[in-house]
Amino acid sequence: MNSMPQHDVGSPASQARLARGLEVLARIDGDAGRAVLDALADVSPALGHHIAAFAFGDIYDRPGLDPRSRQLVTLGALTALGGCEAQLKVHVGAALNVGLSVEEITEAILHASVYCGFPRALNAMFVARDVFAARGVTPVASPA
Amino acid sequence: MNSMPQHDVGSPASQARLARGLEVLARIDGDAGRAVLDALADVSPALGHHIAAFAFGDIYDRPGLDPRSRQLVTLGALTALGGCEAQLKVHVGAALNVGLSVEEITEAILHASVYCGFPRALNAMFVARDVFAARGVTPVASPA
Amino acid sequence: MNSMPQHDVGSPASQARLARGLEVLARIDGDAGRAVLDALADVSPALGHHIAAFAFGDIYDRPGLDPRSRQLVTLGALTALGGCEAQLKVHVGAALNVGLSVEEITEAILHASVYCGFPRALNAMFVARDVFAARGVTPVASPA
Amino acid sequence: MNSMPQHDVGSPASQARLARGLEVLARIDGDAGRAVLDALADVSPALGHHIAAFAFGDIYDRPGLDPRSRQLVTLGALTALGGCEAQLKVHVGAALNVGLSVEEITEAILHASVYCGFPRALNAMFVARDVFAARGVTPVASPA
Amino acid sequence: MNSMPQHDVGSPASQARLARGLEVLARIDGDAGRAVLDALADVSPALGHHIAAFAFGDIYDRPGLDPRSRQLVTLGALTALGGCEAQLKVHVGAALNVGLSVEEITEAILHASVYCGFPRALNAMFVARDVFAARGVTPVASPA
Amino acid sequence: MNSMPQHDVGSPASQARLARGLEVLARIDGDAGRAVLDALADVSPALGHHIAAFAFGDIYDRPGLDPRSRQLVTLGALTALGGCEAQLKVHVGAALNVGLSVEEITEAILHASVYCGFPRALNAMFVARDVFAARGVTPVASPA
């Protein structure tokens, strides 16, 4: 649009944050996260930049909470928000990537039902089911 | 996972609550409710257990409010929550099952628009339209 | 602001709708509804006009659903939305006005917890408790 | 249902409000808005009437805020609500119709992410992308 | 109301679930959880019963997820829901009780801001601040 | 906590973004924004840092949308979210600061009611009333 680098996305410092964020994104979300950014390229690369640079480069990589714990918070938040099935899909995959077990993920969603009700928990659980199937991981048959 | 019955789903008392819940579920939701539980079997039978045992066996079957009134509360809550189209589909069917008329259901959704805005009411009304079509019931042509 | 009547609030037809709405509002909500409109007088009388004319004059007075049923939908919607404690206060009072019993109101809120989770149900139940106390009506001691 | 005109939809005054609303709806939303009303004809023409008469005839046509500003409020509200993708589709189109640029629309959604989080902003941005593609308008390649 | 025990709250089996739930509640939430149940005694003891018996006795005590992880899910869900400040107050205290550090709690809320936006994160963070102050625990001064 | 600067808040680049953000924050929100950051100092200075650096330094200062338009999006989003009265208070003040008139602000909230329902619009309008009173600005008496 213009040849001047825009302050929030075009400066060397913001590019360094972006690079860090893309590295974290690849480590946590794998290809699924990258695919979201690519899908934004034609409509709002700036949104993709800030998701990578801020959400992953800045926040996710802070030392005060381990990745496993961050994914538990994320599962709780996305299940409760509702209407975020596409993002839940990415983050159920990410939860597996950082070492949460299939059972822990389904327990987290069941636990969230207490706070946000059964409909949102059902929607989240069916997303989890689809991710597990796509990844070829199976919930251990639990009693009941 | 282990051979000990798990307290919340495997004990005789919890199985009795489940049996009661499944009976209520069948009476209110018909096959649609059962289909949801079956879909959970591979990912979280515990979520299915608690929806049946707690939501239907415990709460729905309490004497203080008749089924027709419960479905009106449910329609108001699900319309307002948003993003619960799959659950609304089951509960619009349930509303018909417990004796609400097509007109009462559409009025309930129209009434909810005052509190939650038109977009959520539109989403709910289109779910109702699809359920009515699948059941072969037709709204009486109302003036306007 | 100008001497021309504004189309949505100043025309004779809109004044007739307003008059109808104020009459319904008084019948259903009593003084509590009127107090909300009065509080809007200094900031947005137009919002008050449309709440009276549209929500009460148009929608609430439609014949397809009785007032008792409308309040059940309202309780479900407001409990699920959250953050609407001031409006719930008015509508718990309205629920009593149209003939719902204290027990039916508490059951409606308990029923909604299945769909929207316990925190929102707790918030609504404490609003109901305060309205019951202010009105001097007491829940019958229920078993448990 | 009966031959008496119903007060909120069948009276001459309400028909005049409807006519005004349909005119505004056509001007702002074009065919997309009309298609929503048509889809309601078989299930709840009353909901369609009130969306046209109240939302467009009464509110949208008030003089205190220009159409461009109204669409910015609408984009903020629909993005934040979540689960309103069908309505966002209509209103991204409406935003173009009233003169907002592709860049302003994507900036509005990016701006909303600060208040409602990235998942809802992502959902809205992908709706915008699809509307832009269907309309053959292209975001100017922005830096980043 | 009647002398028959009501199925969901008065049966021996439900009383056993309640006893288990009250024990878990006391362990996790301490006095704060019990105070909520006591406040319900005059309006809906049944809601209190089911929060204890179902949410704590059934769900919280399931073996598949440790208490620390459950509180992370809870913090994510309650922060994202919004309007649940009273419940967040109890659960920030519970998070401390199960061993989450002050820093982990504030990181969890900061992390949630990515998904639910800054306003809800601000509301949650100020609740956490008040709980920390009441408990006499101080966030370690973190860089920035 | 440690003497190493933390990547997201302690690096020279992040401090430059913070400085920019604080300047934008002061210009838009005045003292009210700064007071929020100060209130975070004892519990999560990192949340305050990112609100300033990301929300104001990065996003708000992007060239693609003027401040007046950004505040309209913000009013729509915060009204629709609900439970954000504290943030609305700051942003109604900010809306006045960037040149929106009292009438435009009340119209924006009235407009949002179509999408999010009357209860959330009422809550927002009462916040606006309080801000107007505190600033000594008065809505022009509008017809109705």
Side-chain angles (χ1 to χ4, degrees):
Chain A
M1 205 159 43
N2 60 45
S3 53
M4 280 269 292
Q6 194 169 304
H7 74 280
D8 65 321
V9 290
S11 67
S14 81
Q15 290 292 320
R17 286 172 65 236
L18 175 62
R20 181 186 196 115
L22 291 173
E23 189 275 325
V24 178
L25 183 69
R27 193 169 73 226
I28 305 290
D29 282 358
D31 293 343
R34 185 73 216 197
V36 173
L37 298 201
D38 289 347
L40 288 167
D42 290 336
V43 63
S44 176
L47 177 56
H49 176 102
H50 288 298
I51 289 175
F54 171 64
F56 287 89
D58 285 354
I59 301 295
Y60 208 106
D61 215 29
R62 285 174 56 86
L65 199 67
D66 63 282
R68 187 185 169 285
S69 296
R70 289 186 185 276
Q71 285 310 119
L72 289 165
V73 174
T74 303
L75 289 175
L78 290 178
T79 299
L81 279 173
C84 301
E85 282 71 25
Q87 291 79 34
L88 257 175
K89 189 178 165 190
V90 173
H91 283 285
V92 169
L96 292 169
N97 294 346
V98 300
L100 286 163
S101 71
V102 163
E103 188 187 14
E104 286 172 320
I105 293 167
T106 57
E107 281 295 321
I109 295 171
L110 175 56
H111 185 78
S113 74
V114 167
Y115 303 99
C116 65
F118 286 125
R120 298 220 183 290
L122 278 167
N123 288 343
M125 200 66 90
F126 288 130
V127 169
R129 181 194 55 182
D130 294 347
V131 174
F132 297 157
R135 298 269 287 247
V137 293
T138 319
V140 179
S142 67
Chain B
M1 207 157 41
N2 60 45
S3 54
M4 281 269 292
Q6 194 168 306
H7 74 280
D8 66 320
V9 291
S11 68
S14 82
Q15 290 293 319
R17 286 172 65 235
L18 175 63
R20 181 185 196 117
L22 291 174
E23 189 274 324
V24 179
L25 183 70
R27 194 168 73 227
I28 305 290
D29 282 359
D31 293 342
R34 185 73 217 196
V36 173
L37 299 200
D38 290 347
L40 288 168
D42 290 336
V43 62
S44 177
L47 177 56
H49 176 102
H50 288 298
I51 289 175
F54 172 65
F56 286 91
D58 286 353
I59 300 296
Y60 208 107
D61 215 27
R62 286 174 55 87
L65 199 67
D66 63 280
R68 187 186 169 284
S69 296
R70 288 186 185 276
Q71 286 309 121
L72 289 165
V73 174
T74 304
L75 290 175
L78 289 179
T79 299
L81 278 174
C84 300
E85 282 71 26
Q87 291 78 33
L88 257 175
K89 189 178 166 190
V90 173
H91 282 286
V92 169
L96 292 169
N97 294 346
V98 301
L100 285 163
S101 71
V102 164
E103 188 187 12
E104 286 172 319
I105 293 167
T106 57
E107 281 295 321
I109 295 170
L110 175 57
H111 185 78
S113 74
V114 167
Y115 304 100
C116 64
F118 287 124
R120 298 220 182 290
L122 278 167
N123 288 343
M125 199 66 90
F126 288 130
V127 170
R129 181 194 57 182
D130 294 346
V131 174
F132 297 158
R135 298 270 286 247
V137 293
T138 319
V140 179
S142 66
Chain C
M1 205 156 46
N2 60 45
S3 54
M4 282 268 292
Q6 194 169 307
H7 75 281
D8 65 321
V9 289
S11 68
S14 81
Q15 289 293 319
R17 285 172 66 236
L18 175 62
R20 183 187 194 115
L22 291 174
E23 189 275 323
V24 178
L25 183 70
R27 195 168 72 228
I28 304 291
D29 282 358
D31 293 342
R34 185 72 216 197
V36 173
L37 299 201
D38 290 347
L40 288 168
D42 290 337
V43 62
S44 177
L47 177 56
H49 177 102
H50 289 298
I51 289 174
F54 172 65
F56 287 89
D58 285 354
I59 300 295
Y60 207 106
D61 215 29
R62 285 174 55 86
L65 199 67
D66 63 280
R68 189 187 168 283
S69 296
R70 289 188 184 275
Q71 286 309 121
L72 289 164
V73 174
T74 303
L75 289 175
L78 289 179
T79 299
L81 278 173
C84 301
E85 283 70 25
Q87 291 78 33
L88 257 176
K89 188 179 166 190
V90 173
H91 282 286
V92 168
L96 292 169
N97 293 347
V98 301
L100 286 164
S101 71
V102 163
E103 189 186 12
E104 286 172 319
I105 293 167
T106 57
E107 281 296 320
I109 295 170
L110 175 56
H111 185 78
S113 74
V114 167
Y115 303 99
C116 64
F118 286 125
R120 298 220 183 290
L122 278 168
N123 288 342
M125 199 65 90
F126 288 131
V127 170
R129 181 195 54 181
D130 293 347
V131 174
F132 297 157
R135 297 269 287 246
V137 294
T138 319
V140 179
S142 67
Chain D
M1 207 157 45
N2 61 44
S3 54
M4 280 269 292
Q6 194 168 306
H7 74 280
D8 65 319
V9 290
S11 68
S14 82
Q15 290 293 319
R17 285 172 65 235
L18 175 61
R20 181 185 196 117
L22 291 174
E23 190 273 325
V24 178
L25 183 69
R27 194 169 71 226
I28 305 289
D29 282 357
D31 292 343
R34 186 72 217 198
V36 173
L37 298 201
D38 290 347
L40 288 167
D42 289 337
V43 64
S44 176
L47 178 56
H49 176 102
H50 288 298
I51 289 174
F54 171 64
F56 287 89
D58 285 354
I59 300 296
Y60 208 106
D61 216 27
R62 285 174 57 87
L65 200 66
D66 62 282
R68 186 185 170 286
S69 296
R70 289 187 184 277
Q71 285 310 119
L72 289 165
V73 174
T74 304
L75 289 176
L78 290 178
T79 300
L81 278 173
C84 300
E85 282 72 25
Q87 292 77 34
L88 256 176
K89 188 179 165 189
V90 173
H91 282 286
V92 168
L96 292 169
N97 295 346
V98 300
L100 285 164
S101 70
V102 164
E103 188 187 13
E104 286 172 320
I105 293 168
T106 57
E107 280 296 321
I109 295 171
L110 174 58
H111 185 77
S113 74
V114 167
Y115 303 99
C116 65
F118 287 124
R120 298 219 183 290
L122 278 167
N123 288 342
M125 200 67 89
F126 289 130
V127 170
R129 181 195 55 182
D130 294 348
V131 174
F132 298 157
R135 299 270 286 248
V137 293
T138 319
V140 179
S142 66
Chain E
M1 204 156 44
N2 61 45
S3 54
M4 281 269 292
Q6 195 169 304
H7 74 280
D8 66 320
V9 289
S11 69
S14 81
Q15 289 293 318
R17 285 172 66 237
L18 175 61
R20 182 185 195 116
L22 290 174
E23 189 273 325
V24 178
L25 184 69
R27 196 169 69 227
I28 305 291
D29 282 358
D31 293 341
R34 186 71 217 200
V36 173
L37 299 202
D38 290 346
L40 287 167
D42 290 336
V43 63
S44 177
L47 177 56
H49 176 103
H50 288 299
I51 289 174
F54 172 65
F56 287 89
D58 285 355
I59 300 295
Y60 208 106
D61 215 29
R62 285 174 57 86
L65 199 66
D66 63 281
R68 188 187 168 284
S69 295
R70 289 188 184 275
Q71 286 309 120
L72 290 165
V73 174
T74 304
L75 290 175
L78 290 179
T79 299
L81 278 173
C84 300
E85 281 72 24
Q87 291 79 32
L88 257 176
K89 188 179 165 189
V90 173
H91 282 286
V92 169
L96 292 169
N97 295 345
V98 301
L100 285 164
S101 70
V102 164
E103 189 186 13
E104 286 172 319
I105 293 168
T106 57
E107 281 296 321
I109 296 171
L110 174 57
H111 185 78
S113 74
V114 167
Y115 303 100
C116 64
F118 287 124
R120 298 220 183 290
L122 278 168
N123 288 341
M125 200 66 89
F126 288 130
V127 170
R129 180 196 54 182
D130 294 346
V131 174
F132 297 158
R135 299 269 286 247
V137 293
T138 319
V140 179
S142 66
Chain F
M1 206 158 44
N2 60 46
S3 53
M4 281 268 293
Q6 195 169 303
H7 74 280
D8 65 322
V9 289
S11 68
S14 81
Q15 289 293 319
R17 284 173 66 237
L18 176 61
R20 182 185 194 115
L22 290 175
E23 188 274 324
V24 178
L25 183 69
R27 194 168 70 227
I28 305 291
D29 281 359
D31 293 343
R34 186 72 217 199
V36 173
L37 299 202
D38 290 347
L40 288 167
D42 290 337
V43 63
S44 176
L47 177 56
H49 176 102
H50 289 298
I51 289 175
F54 171 65
F56 287 89
D58 285 354
I59 300 295
Y60 208 106
D61 214 30
R62 286 174 56 86
L65 200 66
D66 62 281
R68 188 186 168 284
S69 296
R70 289 187 184 275
Q71 285 309 119
L72 289 165
V73 174
T74 303
L75 289 175
L78 289 179
T79 299
L81 279 173
C84 300
E85 282 72 25
Q87 291 78 33
L88 257 175
K89 189 178 165 190
V90 173
H91 282 286
V92 168
L96 292 170
N97 295 345
V98 301
L100 285 164
S101 71
V102 164
E103 189 186 12
E104 286 172 320
I105 293 167
T106 57
E107 281 296 321
I109 295 171
L110 175 56
H111 186 78
S113 75
V114 167
Y115 303 98
C116 65
F118 286 124
R120 297 218 184 291
L122 278 167
N123 288 342
M125 199 67 89
F126 288 131
V127 170
R129 181 195 55 182
D130 294 347
V131 174
F132 298 158
R135 298 268 287 245
V137 294
T138 319
V140 180
S142 67

